[in-house]
mmCIF file of all heavy atoms in Angstrom:
data_model
loop_
_atom_site.group_PDB
_atom_site.id
_atom_site.type_symbol
_atom_site.label_atom_id
_atom_site.label_comp_id
_atom_site.label_asym_id
_atom_site.label_seq_id
_atom_site.Cartn_x
_atom_site.Cartn_y
_atom_site.Cartn_z
ATOM 1 N N GLY A 1 79.785 90.200 110.432
ATOM 2 C CA GLY A 1 81.037 90.291 109.695
ATOM 3 C C GLY A 1 81.319 89.036 108.887
ATOM 4 O O GLY A 1 81.900 89.095 107.814
ATOM 5 N N ARG A 2 80.924 87.871 109.395
ATOM 6 C CA ARG A 2 81.113 86.626 108.645
ATOM 7 C C ARG A 2 80.140 86.531 107.479
ATOM 8 O O ARG A 2 80.502 86.089 106.395
ATOM 9 C CB ARG A 2 80.920 85.427 109.572
ATOM 10 C CG ARG A 2 82.017 85.277 110.630
ATOM 11 C CD ARG A 2 81.912 83.947 111.352
ATOM 12 N NE ARG A 2 80.643 83.806 112.057
ATOM 13 C CZ ARG A 2 80.426 84.259 113.291
ATOM 14 N NH1 ARG A 2 81.375 84.908 113.934
ATOM 15 N NH2 ARG A 2 79.244 84.080 113.876
ATOM 16 N N ARG A 3 78.911 86.976 107.733
ATOM 17 C CA ARG A 3 77.896 86.895 106.672
ATOM 18 C C ARG A 3 78.175 87.880 105.539
ATOM 19 O O ARG A 3 77.947 87.577 104.375
ATOM 20 C CB ARG A 3 76.514 87.171 107.271
ATOM 21 C CG ARG A 3 75.373 87.000 106.278
ATOM 22 C CD ARG A 3 74.033 87.154 106.955
ATOM 23 N NE ARG A 3 72.942 86.963 106.026
ATOM 24 C CZ ARG A 3 71.660 87.107 106.339
ATOM 25 N NH1 ARG A 3 71.317 87.401 107.581
ATOM 26 N NH2 ARG A 3 70.717 86.932 105.433
ATOM 27 N N TYR A 4 78.673 89.055 105.881
ATOM 28 C CA TYR A 4 78.945 90.087 104.874
ATOM 29 C C TYR A 4 80.444 90.385 104.827
ATOM 30 O O TYR A 4 80.869 91.531 104.836
ATOM 31 C CB TYR A 4 78.154 91.353 105.206
ATOM 32 C CG TYR A 4 76.659 91.129 105.253
ATOM 33 C CD1 TYR A 4 75.974 91.064 106.468
ATOM 34 C CD2 TYR A 4 75.935 90.970 104.078
ATOM 35 C CE1 TYR A 4 74.604 90.850 106.514
ATOM 36 C CE2 TYR A 4 74.560 90.766 104.112
ATOM 37 C CZ TYR A 4 73.906 90.704 105.333
ATOM 38 O OH TYR A 4 72.554 90.494 105.372
ATOM 39 N N ALA A 5 81.238 89.319 104.761
ATOM 40 C CA ALA A 5 82.692 89.450 104.856
ATOM 41 C C ALA A 5 83.269 90.365 103.787
ATOM 42 O O ALA A 5 84.200 91.130 104.050
ATOM 43 C CB ALA A 5 83.331 88.062 104.764
ATOM 44 N N THR A 6 82.712 90.316 102.581
ATOM 45 C CA THR A 6 83.273 91.134 101.505
ATOM 46 C C THR A 6 82.969 92.612 101.688
ATOM 47 O O THR A 6 83.668 93.473 101.146
ATOM 48 C CB THR A 6 82.727 90.679 100.141
ATOM 49 O OG1 THR A 6 81.296 90.756 100.155
ATOM 50 C CG2 THR A 6 83.153 89.254 99.841
ATOM 51 N N LEU A 7 81.904 92.927 102.445
ATOM 52 C CA LEU A 7 81.519 94.326 102.648
ATOM 53 C C LEU A 7 82.205 94.975 103.849
ATOM 54 O O LEU A 7 82.366 96.199 103.885
ATOM 55 C CB LEU A 7 80.004 94.427 102.843
ATOM 56 C CG LEU A 7 79.114 94.181 101.628
ATOM 57 C CD1 LEU A 7 77.654 94.247 102.045
ATOM 58 C CD2 LEU A 7 79.390 95.193 100.531
ATOM 59 N N MET A 8 82.593 94.181 104.821
ATOM 60 C CA MET A 8 83.054 94.745 106.087
ATOM 61 C C MET A 8 84.284 95.636 105.967
ATOM 62 O O MET A 8 84.339 96.696 106.615
ATOM 63 C CB MET A 8 83.313 93.622 107.102
ATOM 64 C CG MET A 8 82.059 92.864 107.522
ATOM 65 S SD MET A 8 80.628 93.896 107.948
ATOM 66 C CE MET A 8 81.214 94.695 109.437
ATOM 67 N N PRO A 9 85.300 95.304 105.166
ATOM 68 C CA PRO A 9 86.442 96.223 105.053
ATOM 69 C C PRO A 9 86.034 97.607 104.552
ATOM 70 O O PRO A 9 86.508 98.629 105.062
ATOM 71 C CB PRO A 9 87.368 95.516 104.058
ATOM 72 C CG PRO A 9 87.023 94.069 104.194
ATOM 73 C CD PRO A 9 85.552 94.048 104.434
ATOM 74 N N ALA A 10 85.141 97.642 103.551
ATOM 75 C CA ALA A 10 84.677 98.928 103.025
ATOM 76 C C ALA A 10 83.867 99.682 104.078
ATOM 77 O O ALA A 10 84.027 100.900 104.251
ATOM 78 C CB ALA A 10 83.845 98.718 101.769
ATOM 79 N N LEU A 11 82.997 98.976 104.806
ATOM 80 C CA LEU A 11 82.198 99.622 105.848
ATOM 81 C C LEU A 11 83.078 100.159 106.969
ATOM 82 O O LEU A 11 82.848 101.256 107.486
ATOM 83 C CB LEU A 11 81.177 98.633 106.414
ATOM 84 C CG LEU A 11 80.050 98.208 105.466
ATOM 85 C CD1 LEU A 11 79.182 97.144 106.126
ATOM 86 C CD2 LEU A 11 79.211 99.398 105.056
ATOM 87 N N ARG A 12 84.111 99.390 107.326
ATOM 88 C CA ARG A 12 85.022 99.833 108.374
ATOM 89 C C ARG A 12 85.784 101.090 107.930
ATOM 90 O O ARG A 12 85.975 102.040 108.693
ATOM 91 C CB ARG A 12 86.004 98.715 108.719
ATOM 92 C CG ARG A 12 86.769 98.933 110.019
ATOM 93 C CD ARG A 12 87.741 97.802 110.296
ATOM 94 N NE ARG A 12 87.083 96.504 110.269
ATOM 95 C CZ ARG A 12 87.296 95.574 109.321
ATOM 96 N NH1 ARG A 12 88.130 95.820 108.331
ATOM 97 N NH2 ARG A 12 86.672 94.419 109.371
ATOM 98 N N ARG A 13 86.203 101.098 106.662
ATOM 99 C CA ARG A 13 86.922 102.261 106.122
ATOM 100 C C ARG A 13 86.021 103.498 106.101
ATOM 101 O O ARG A 13 86.435 104.600 106.467
ATOM 102 C CB ARG A 13 87.423 101.932 104.718
ATOM 103 C CG ARG A 13 88.308 102.994 104.090
ATOM 104 C CD ARG A 13 89.001 102.458 102.849
ATOM 105 N NE ARG A 13 88.066 101.976 101.833
ATOM 106 C CZ ARG A 13 87.884 100.695 101.528
ATOM 107 N NH1 ARG A 13 88.536 99.756 102.187
ATOM 108 N NH2 ARG A 13 87.029 100.354 100.581
ATOM 109 N N ILE A 14 84.787 103.317 105.680
ATOM 110 C CA ILE A 14 83.835 104.444 105.651
ATOM 111 C C ILE A 14 83.584 104.977 107.050
ATOM 112 O O ILE A 14 83.579 106.181 107.291
ATOM 113 C CB ILE A 14 82.507 103.992 104.994
ATOM 114 C CG1 ILE A 14 82.714 103.747 103.488
ATOM 115 C CG2 ILE A 14 81.414 105.038 105.224
ATOM 116 C CD1 ILE A 14 81.532 103.053 102.829
ATOM 117 N N ALA A 15 83.385 104.074 108.005
ATOM 118 C CA ALA A 15 83.021 104.479 109.367
ATOM 119 C C ALA A 15 84.155 105.186 110.100
ATOM 120 O O ALA A 15 83.911 106.075 110.929
ATOM 121 C CB ALA A 15 82.577 103.255 110.170
ATOM 122 N N THR A 16 85.396 104.827 109.788
ATOM 123 C CA THR A 16 86.523 105.358 110.566
ATOM 124 C C THR A 16 87.242 106.534 109.903
ATOM 125 O O THR A 16 87.990 107.245 110.562
ATOM 126 C CB THR A 16 87.552 104.244 110.829
ATOM 127 O OG1 THR A 16 87.982 103.680 109.571
ATOM 128 C CG2 THR A 16 86.945 103.139 111.680
ATOM 129 N N ASP A 17 87.028 106.729 108.610
ATOM 130 C CA ASP A 17 87.744 107.793 107.886
ATOM 131 C C ASP A 17 86.814 108.976 107.642
ATOM 132 O O ASP A 17 85.979 108.947 106.745
ATOM 133 C CB ASP A 17 88.266 107.244 106.558
ATOM 134 C CG ASP A 17 89.041 108.291 105.753
ATOM 135 O OD1 ASP A 17 89.243 109.417 106.276
ATOM 136 O OD2 ASP A 17 89.430 107.983 104.610
ATOM 137 N N GLU A 18 86.966 110.026 108.424
ATOM 138 C CA GLU A 18 86.065 111.182 108.304
ATOM 139 C C GLU A 18 86.279 111.969 107.017
ATOM 140 O O GLU A 18 85.460 112.822 106.674
ATOM 141 C CB GLU A 18 86.219 112.092 109.523
ATOM 142 C CG GLU A 18 85.722 111.442 110.806
ATOM 143 C CD GLU A 18 85.615 112.424 111.951
ATOM 144 O OE1 GLU A 18 85.925 113.620 111.754
ATOM 145 O OE2 GLU A 18 85.211 112.003 113.051
ATOM 146 N N SER A 19 87.370 111.703 106.302
ATOM 147 C CA SER A 19 87.587 112.376 105.014
ATOM 148 C C SER A 19 86.940 111.605 103.867
ATOM 149 O O SER A 19 86.857 112.112 102.741
ATOM 150 C CB SER A 19 89.086 112.528 104.746
ATOM 151 O OG SER A 19 89.698 111.259 104.553
ATOM 152 N N ASN A 20 86.463 110.385 104.126
ATOM 153 C CA ASN A 20 85.822 109.565 103.109
ATOM 154 C C ASN A 20 84.506 110.211 102.671
ATOM 155 O O ASN A 20 83.723 110.689 103.501
ATOM 156 C CB ASN A 20 85.566 108.166 103.679
ATOM 157 C CG ASN A 20 84.892 107.245 102.681
ATOM 158 O OD1 ASN A 20 83.675 107.293 102.511
ATOM 159 N ND2 ASN A 20 85.677 106.403 102.037
ATOM 160 N N ASN A 21 84.233 110.231 101.373
ATOM 161 C CA ASN A 21 83.032 110.915 100.875
ATOM 162 C C ASN A 21 81.747 110.290 101.412
ATOM 163 O O ASN A 21 80.765 110.988 101.705
ATOM 164 C CB ASN A 21 83.007 110.946 99.345
ATOM 165 C CG ASN A 21 82.970 109.579 98.701
ATOM 166 O OD1 ASN A 21 83.825 108.743 98.963
ATOM 167 N ND2 ASN A 21 82.000 109.340 97.839
ATOM 168 N N TRP A 22 81.717 108.940 101.589
ATOM 169 C CA TRP A 22 80.511 108.292 102.120
ATOM 170 C C TRP A 22 80.336 108.605 103.602
ATOM 171 O O TRP A 22 79.215 108.758 104.088
ATOM 172 C CB TRP A 22 80.582 106.786 101.893
ATOM 173 C CG TRP A 22 80.548 106.427 100.446
ATOM 174 C CD1 TRP A 22 81.598 106.043 99.669
ATOM 175 C CD2 TRP A 22 79.406 106.469 99.579
ATOM 176 N NE1 TRP A 22 81.177 105.834 98.376
ATOM 177 C CE2 TRP A 22 79.842 106.072 98.298
ATOM 178 C CE3 TRP A 22 78.064 106.783 99.764
ATOM 179 C CZ2 TRP A 22 78.974 105.996 97.201
ATOM 180 C CZ3 TRP A 22 77.199 106.708 98.683
ATOM 181 C CH2 TRP A 22 77.650 106.324 97.425
ATOM 182 N N ASN A 23 81.448 108.714 104.339
ATOM 183 C CA ASN A 23 81.380 109.114 105.744
ATOM 184 C C ASN A 23 80.787 110.509 105.862
ATOM 185 O O ASN A 23 79.906 110.765 106.704
ATOM 186 C CB ASN A 23 82.783 109.060 106.351
ATOM 187 C CG ASN A 23 82.808 109.364 107.843
ATOM 188 O OD1 ASN A 23 82.510 110.481 108.259
ATOM 189 N ND2 ASN A 23 83.187 108.388 108.651
ATOM 190 N N LYS A 24 81.256 111.411 104.996
ATOM 191 C CA LYS A 24 80.730 112.781 105.004
ATOM 192 C C LYS A 24 79.238 112.801 104.707
ATOM 193 O O LYS A 24 78.473 113.539 105.341
ATOM 194 C CB LYS A 24 81.475 113.638 103.980
ATOM 195 C CG LYS A 24 82.926 113.923 104.315
ATOM 196 C CD LYS A 24 83.565 114.746 103.201
ATOM 197 C CE LYS A 24 85.030 115.033 103.488
ATOM 198 N NZ LYS A 24 85.661 115.786 102.362
ATOM 199 N N MET A 25 78.825 111.992 103.735
ATOM 200 C CA MET A 25 77.417 111.970 103.369
ATOM 201 C C MET A 25 76.558 111.439 104.518
ATOM 202 O O MET A 25 75.520 112.017 104.864
ATOM 203 C CB MET A 25 77.197 111.117 102.121
ATOM 204 C CG MET A 25 75.757 111.146 101.623
ATOM 205 S SD MET A 25 75.465 110.106 100.177
ATOM 206 C CE MET A 25 75.373 108.490 100.932
ATOM 207 N N ILE A 26 76.997 110.344 105.139
ATOM 208 C CA ILE A 26 76.230 109.753 106.240
ATOM 209 C C ILE A 26 76.109 110.733 107.399
ATOM 210 O O ILE A 26 75.023 110.919 107.973
ATOM 211 C CB ILE A 26 76.885 108.439 106.701
ATOM 212 C CG1 ILE A 26 76.741 107.376 105.606
ATOM 213 C CG2 ILE A 26 76.255 107.948 108.002
ATOM 214 C CD1 ILE A 26 77.586 106.139 105.842
ATOM 215 N N ARG A 27 77.222 111.372 107.762
ATOM 216 C CA ARG A 27 77.176 112.312 108.887
ATOM 217 C C ARG A 27 76.292 113.514 108.586
ATOM 218 O O ARG A 27 75.562 113.998 109.461
ATOM 219 C CB ARG A 27 78.590 112.754 109.265
ATOM 220 C CG ARG A 27 79.360 111.677 110.035
ATOM 221 C CD ARG A 27 80.680 112.178 110.603
ATOM 222 N NE ARG A 27 81.673 112.369 109.569
ATOM 223 C CZ ARG A 27 82.189 113.542 109.218
ATOM 224 N NH1 ARG A 27 81.809 114.637 109.837
ATOM 225 N NH2 ARG A 27 83.105 113.618 108.268
ATOM 226 N N SER A 28 76.327 114.009 107.355
ATOM 227 C CA SER A 28 75.470 115.149 107.018
ATOM 228 C C SER A 28 73.999 114.754 107.033
ATOM 229 O O SER A 28 73.138 115.530 107.459
ATOM 230 C CB SER A 28 75.858 115.731 105.653
ATOM 231 O OG SER A 28 75.573 114.826 104.606
ATOM 232 N N ILE A 29 73.701 113.535 106.593
ATOM 233 C CA ILE A 29 72.310 113.052 106.636
ATOM 234 C C ILE A 29 71.834 112.964 108.085
ATOM 235 O O ILE A 29 70.734 113.421 108.427
ATOM 236 C CB ILE A 29 72.193 111.685 105.937
ATOM 237 C CG1 ILE A 29 72.350 111.857 104.426
ATOM 238 C CG2 ILE A 29 70.852 111.024 106.260
ATOM 239 C CD1 ILE A 29 72.437 110.543 103.670
ATOM 240 N N LEU A 30 72.663 112.389 108.947
ATOM 241 C CA LEU A 30 72.279 112.236 110.348
ATOM 242 C C LEU A 30 72.149 113.588 111.045
ATOM 243 O O LEU A 30 71.273 113.777 111.908
ATOM 244 C CB LEU A 30 73.305 111.371 111.083
ATOM 245 C CG LEU A 30 73.426 109.919 110.610
ATOM 246 C CD1 LEU A 30 74.521 109.198 111.382
ATOM 247 C CD2 LEU A 30 72.104 109.182 110.734
ATOM 248 N N ASP A 31 72.986 114.537 110.678
ATOM 249 C CA ASP A 31 72.976 115.855 111.320
ATOM 250 C C ASP A 31 71.829 116.749 110.842
ATOM 251 O O ASP A 31 71.283 117.532 111.618
ATOM 252 C CB ASP A 31 74.300 116.592 111.066
ATOM 253 C CG ASP A 31 75.469 115.982 111.819
ATOM 254 O OD1 ASP A 31 75.216 115.244 112.785
ATOM 255 O OD2 ASP A 31 76.624 116.235 111.429
ATOM 256 N N GLU A 32 71.471 116.641 109.565
ATOM 257 C CA GLU A 32 70.599 117.641 108.947
ATOM 258 C C GLU A 32 69.189 117.155 108.634
ATOM 259 O O GLU A 32 68.317 117.970 108.319
ATOM 260 C CB GLU A 32 71.250 118.159 107.652
ATOM 261 C CG GLU A 32 72.597 118.833 107.882
ATOM 262 C CD GLU A 32 73.327 119.139 106.588
ATOM 263 O OE1 GLU A 32 72.677 119.080 105.512
ATOM 264 O OE2 GLU A 32 74.535 119.457 106.636
ATOM 265 N N THR A 33 68.942 115.863 108.724
ATOM 266 C CA THR A 33 67.613 115.339 108.380
ATOM 267 C C THR A 33 66.725 115.296 109.616
ATOM 268 O O THR A 33 67.160 114.896 110.698
ATOM 269 C CB THR A 33 67.735 113.933 107.776
ATOM 270 O OG1 THR A 33 68.648 113.969 106.680
ATOM 271 C CG2 THR A 33 66.383 113.441 107.280
ATOM 272 N N ALA A 34 65.478 115.704 109.445
ATOM 273 C CA ALA A 34 64.522 115.684 110.547
ATOM 274 C C ALA A 34 64.359 114.258 111.079
ATOM 275 O O ALA A 34 64.312 113.296 110.293
ATOM 276 C CB ALA A 34 63.172 116.212 110.077
ATOM 277 N N PRO A 35 64.269 114.084 112.407
ATOM 278 C CA PRO A 35 64.120 112.734 112.982
ATOM 279 C C PRO A 35 62.939 111.961 112.413
ATOM 280 O O PRO A 35 63.032 110.751 112.197
ATOM 281 C CB PRO A 35 63.932 113.016 114.477
ATOM 282 C CG PRO A 35 64.568 114.346 114.706
ATOM 283 C CD PRO A 35 64.339 115.127 113.448
ATOM 284 N N GLU A 36 61.822 112.667 112.161
ATOM 285 C CA GLU A 36 60.639 111.993 111.617
ATOM 286 C C GLU A 36 60.972 111.339 110.265
ATOM 287 O O GLU A 36 60.525 110.231 109.963
ATOM 288 C CB GLU A 36 59.492 112.993 111.411
ATOM 289 C CG GLU A 36 59.046 113.701 112.679
ATOM 290 C CD GLU A 36 59.732 115.050 112.871
ATOM 291 O OE1 GLU A 36 60.951 115.156 112.573
ATOM 292 O OE2 GLU A 36 59.055 115.992 113.309
ATOM 293 N N CYS A 37 61.752 112.048 109.446
ATOM 294 C CA CYS A 37 62.100 111.558 108.114
ATOM 295 C C CYS A 37 63.143 110.447 108.182
ATOM 296 O O CYS A 37 63.062 109.462 107.439
ATOM 297 C CB CYS A 37 62.606 112.706 107.247
ATOM 298 S SG CYS A 37 61.382 114.020 106.988
ATOM 299 N N LEU A 38 64.110 110.591 109.076
ATOM 300 C CA LEU A 38 65.135 109.556 109.236
ATOM 301 C C LEU A 38 64.523 108.231 109.673
ATOM 302 O O LEU A 38 64.841 107.162 109.128
ATOM 303 C CB LEU A 38 66.169 109.998 110.282
ATOM 304 C CG LEU A 38 67.423 110.722 109.811
ATOM 305 C CD1 LEU A 38 68.295 111.063 111.016
ATOM 306 C CD2 LEU A 38 68.208 109.884 108.807
ATOM 307 N N GLU A 39 63.651 108.294 110.657
ATOM 308 C CA GLU A 39 63.083 107.064 111.204
ATOM 309 C C GLU A 39 62.140 106.383 110.213
ATOM 310 O O GLU A 39 62.122 105.161 110.107
ATOM 311 C CB GLU A 39 62.391 107.369 112.537
ATOM 312 C CG GLU A 39 63.397 107.801 113.604
ATOM 313 C CD GLU A 39 62.798 107.953 114.997
ATOM 314 O OE1 GLU A 39 61.601 107.634 115.173
ATOM 315 O OE2 GLU A 39 63.534 108.373 115.910
ATOM 316 N N LYS A 40 61.383 107.184 109.460
ATOM 317 C CA LYS A 40 60.500 106.588 108.453
ATOM 318 C C LYS A 40 61.312 105.987 107.308
ATOM 319 O O LYS A 40 60.944 104.938 106.750
ATOM 320 C CB LYS A 40 59.523 107.642 107.916
ATOM 321 C CG LYS A 40 58.329 107.885 108.814
ATOM 322 C CD LYS A 40 57.426 106.652 108.865
ATOM 323 C CE LYS A 40 56.186 106.861 109.731
ATOM 324 N NZ LYS A 40 55.292 107.875 109.204
ATOM 325 N N PHE A 41 62.414 106.626 106.947
ATOM 326 C CA PHE A 41 63.271 106.077 105.896
ATOM 327 C C PHE A 41 63.807 104.716 106.317
ATOM 328 O O PHE A 41 63.790 103.754 105.548
ATOM 329 C CB PHE A 41 64.433 107.033 105.606
ATOM 330 C CG PHE A 41 65.413 106.502 104.587
ATOM 331 C CD1 PHE A 41 65.126 106.554 103.238
ATOM 332 C CD2 PHE A 41 66.610 105.930 104.995
ATOM 333 C CE1 PHE A 41 66.014 106.036 102.293
ATOM 334 C CE2 PHE A 41 67.504 105.415 104.067
ATOM 335 C CZ PHE A 41 67.207 105.480 102.707
ATOM 336 N N LEU A 42 64.262 104.630 107.548
ATOM 337 C CA LEU A 42 64.803 103.359 108.046
ATOM 338 C C LEU A 42 63.721 102.283 108.085
ATOM 339 O O LEU A 42 63.929 101.151 107.618
ATOM 340 C CB LEU A 42 65.401 103.555 109.435
ATOM 341 C CG LEU A 42 65.959 102.296 110.109
ATOM 342 C CD1 LEU A 42 67.108 101.713 109.296
ATOM 343 C CD2 LEU A 42 66.413 102.619 111.528
ATOM 344 N N ALA A 43 62.563 102.623 108.641
ATOM 345 C CA ALA A 43 61.512 101.618 108.830
ATOM 346 C C ALA A 43 60.836 101.225 107.520
ATOM 347 O O ALA A 43 60.672 100.036 107.222
ATOM 348 C CB ALA A 43 60.480 102.137 109.824
#
Protein backbone atom coordinates (compact mmCIF):
# COMPACT_ATOMS: atom_id res chain seq x y z
CA GLY A 1 0.00 0.00 0.00
CA ARG A 2 2.90 2.39 0.66
CA ARG A 3 4.67 1.47 -2.55
CA TYR A 4 1.54 1.79 -4.70
CA ALA A 5 -0.22 4.46 -2.64
CA THR A 6 -1.83 6.14 -5.63
CA LEU A 7 -3.34 2.86 -6.85
CA MET A 8 -4.68 1.48 -3.58
CA PRO A 9 -7.88 3.58 -3.32
CA ALA A 10 -8.92 2.49 -6.82
CA LEU A 11 -8.04 -1.16 -6.10
CA ARG A 12 -9.98 -1.05 -2.84
CA ARG A 13 -13.00 0.43 -4.62
CA ILE A 14 -12.86 -2.22 -7.35
CA ALA A 15 -12.49 -5.07 -4.86
CA THR A 16 -15.33 -4.02 -2.57
CA ASP A 17 -17.95 -2.70 -5.02
CA GLU A 18 -19.64 -5.58 -6.84
CA SER A 19 -21.43 -3.11 -9.14
CA ASN A 20 -18.08 -1.74 -10.38
CA ASN A 21 -17.42 -2.72 -14.01
CA TRP A 22 -13.84 -3.88 -13.24
CA ASN A 23 -15.10 -5.97 -10.31
CA LYS A 24 -17.61 -7.61 -12.65
CA MET A 25 -14.92 -8.30 -15.22
CA ILE A 26 -12.51 -9.82 -12.69
CA ARG A 27 -15.18 -12.06 -11.17
CA SER A 28 -16.36 -13.27 -14.57
CA ILE A 29 -12.77 -14.06 -15.58
CA LEU A 30 -12.19 -16.03 -12.38
CA ASP A 31 -15.52 -17.86 -12.71
CA GLU A 32 -15.44 -18.69 -16.42
CA THR A 33 -11.79 -19.16 -17.41
CA ALA A 34 -10.25 -22.62 -17.36
CA PRO A 35 -7.71 -23.04 -14.50
CA GLU A 36 -4.99 -24.04 -16.97
CA CYS A 37 -5.44 -20.73 -18.82
CA LEU A 38 -5.71 -18.60 -15.68
CA GLU A 39 -2.53 -19.97 -14.16
CA LYS A 40 -0.53 -19.66 -17.38
CA PHE A 41 -1.74 -16.08 -17.82
CA LEU A 42 -0.55 -15.21 -14.33
CA ALA A 43 2.81 -16.97 -14.64
